[in-house]
Amino acid sequence: VCEFLTAAVALLLGRQAGLDVRRPLFRGDSITALDWLEEEHFRSTNVSLAATLFVFTLAKLNVESVRTLHLPKEVNTRADDLSRNVPWSQLQRKHPELRGGVLLHLDQADLVIRLCNPSQTWSSSDQLFESWKVLQRL
């Protein structure tokens, strides 16, 4: 779910940075996440809220098509380094293609992660509805 959710965040960050996000190419080592992204078919209730955010994001940003590319774990080291809090300066030394780039931050990333957490429960349908409204505003 986290790797899938990253795609929605990447689209939002890309748009925030002024990039054309209408035909993104997502690369990664999670076959499940890549399938969810490309097929837009979500076979698990664990991904429901993340899928909702992803579909809202596709519509809001006028995404025309989503492409994916599977990278073996051994090749997908940039993403692994980022997820393991390797400092940006060290990452740029290790991966020269990142030199001169900037590390983008989504101001509400913690909120996105909390709202899409598959272990989250609601005590009422009103609470769930409020969560959906917050996702839609994002």
Side-chain angles (χ1 to χ4, degrees):
V1 172
C2 188
E3 290 171 338
F4 173 73
L5 180 58
T6 301
V9 171
L11 288 170
L12 294 169
L13 285 171
R15 174 56 67 87
Q16 189 178 49
L19 301 174
D20 182 355
V21 296
R22 290 175 295 164
R23 292 178 205 93
L25 169 64
F26 293 105
R27 305 174 331 156
D29 58 22
S30 171
I31 293 172
T32 299
L34 293 172
D35 284 347
W36 287 341
L37 291 169
E38 192 162 9
E39 302 299 325
E40 295 178 33
H41 182 77
F42 316 104
R43 297 179 190 102
S44 170
T45 57
N46 287 340
V47 75
S48 296
L49 289 173
T52 300
L53 177 61
F54 181 68
V55 171
F56 282 158
T57 303
L58 293 178
K60 178 76 174 170
L61 301 181
N62 298 314
V63 174
E64 297 168 4
S65 65
V66 172
R67 297 169 296 133
T68 62
L69 175 65
H70 178 255
L71 297 175
K73 179 182 148 195
E74 300 77 30
V75 177
N76 196 31
T77 56
R78 283 189 315 196
D80 285 343
D81 287 346
L82 279 169
S83 69
R84 290 177 175 82
N85 295 318
V86 172
W88 181 241
S89 59
Q90 184 179 339
L91 205 69
Q92 288 178 308
R93 281 192 301 278
K94 185 176 177 182
H95 304 282
E97 68 274 16
L98 298 177
R99 291 185 187 145
V102 295
L103 185 60
L104 301 174
H105 298 276
L106 183 66
D107 293 336
Q108 298 178 336
D110 290 341
L111 176 60
V112 170
I113 293 166
R114 191 172 62 249
L115 286 171
C116 296
N117 184 336
S119 64
Q120 180 173 267
T121 60
W122 297 271
S123 59
S124 70
S125 57
D126 287 341
Q127 280 186 333
L128 174 61
F129 182 69
E130 287 304 313
S131 293
W132 283 60
K133 284 181 7 186
V134 171
L135 279 175
Q136 191 171 17
R137 283 193 302 269
L138 290 172

